[in-house]
Each structure stands twice: as structure tokens, then as C-alpha cells.
């Protein structure tokens, strides 16, 4: 933790932001290398890979907040529902 800092920069927090940064870089490289074509999913709106990534990150944030508020289990346990949710979004949305 940084003394006097506004946030506890622990390993899990750093890993979280590092993962998001890596995902953004990966999706940028994929968009340049393999141009995207929007597709219609279950919601009947056109989405690209970037849209689905945003929806996944937003939904995962809500899953983690619900886990934090409704469960006494370790926060690492929320990764399983988040991965299932991410798979569902990228597969069917």
C-alpha cells in the first residue's frame, strides 16, 4: 500500500488492472489484425468483440459487487461466475 494513497494497491488490485490493460491491448491487436463484423445476438442488437468485452466487464463488476454484499466467501470465488458470464456473453450475445 502506498502511504497516504487513496487506494490499497495490493497484488489482487494490481492484477485486476493489469488484466484489463492486457485485454484492451489484445482486443486492439485483434481488431487491427482481423477486422470485426458486427453480429446479431440474443438481444437483437449488433455487437462487436469490443462491445461484448465492455458488457462482460460491466456485468463482472456487478457480479463482484453482489458477491461482496451477499457472500462471506473470499472474493476470489467470484471469478467462477464471472468466467461463466463472460463465456455466455461472447458465445450468445
Amino acid at each position: 500500500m502506498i502511504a497516504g494513497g487513496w487506494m490499497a494497491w495490493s497484488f489482487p488490485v494490481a492484477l485486476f488492472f493489469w488484466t484489463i490493460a492486457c485485454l484492451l491491448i489484445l482486443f486492439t491487436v485483434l481488431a487491427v489484425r482481423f477486422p470485426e463484423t458486427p453480429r446479431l445476438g440474443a438481444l437483437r442488437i449488433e455487437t462487436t468483440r469490443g462491445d461484448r468485452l465492455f458488457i462482460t466487464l460491466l456485468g463482472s463488476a456487478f457480479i463482484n459487487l453482489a458477491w461482496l454484499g451477499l457472500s462471506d466467501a473470499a472474493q476470489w470465488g467470484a471469478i467462477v461466475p464471472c468466467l461463466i458470464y463472460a463465456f455466455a456473453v461472447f458465445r450468445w450475445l
Side-chain angles (χ1 to χ4, degrees), residues 32-92:
V32 170
R33 176 97 172 142
F34 306 105
E36 304 176 60
T37 55
R39 69 175 194 201
L40 284 175
L43 294 178
R44 291 293 175 224
I45 58 173
E46 288 187 347
T47 59
T48 62
R49 283 187 299 253
D51 298 332
R52 291 187 293 276
L53 176 64
F54 177 75
I55 292 167
T56 298
L57 290 174
L58 190 61
S60 294
F62 285 116
I63 290 170
N64 275 281
L65 286 173
W67 188 275
L68 188 62
L70 301 173
S71 173
D72 288 335
Q75 193 65 31
W76 288 102
I79 198 164
V80 173
C82 287
L83 290 175
I84 292 169
Y85 174 71
F87 174 79
V89 167
F90 275 93
R91 178 74 172 118
W92 293 299

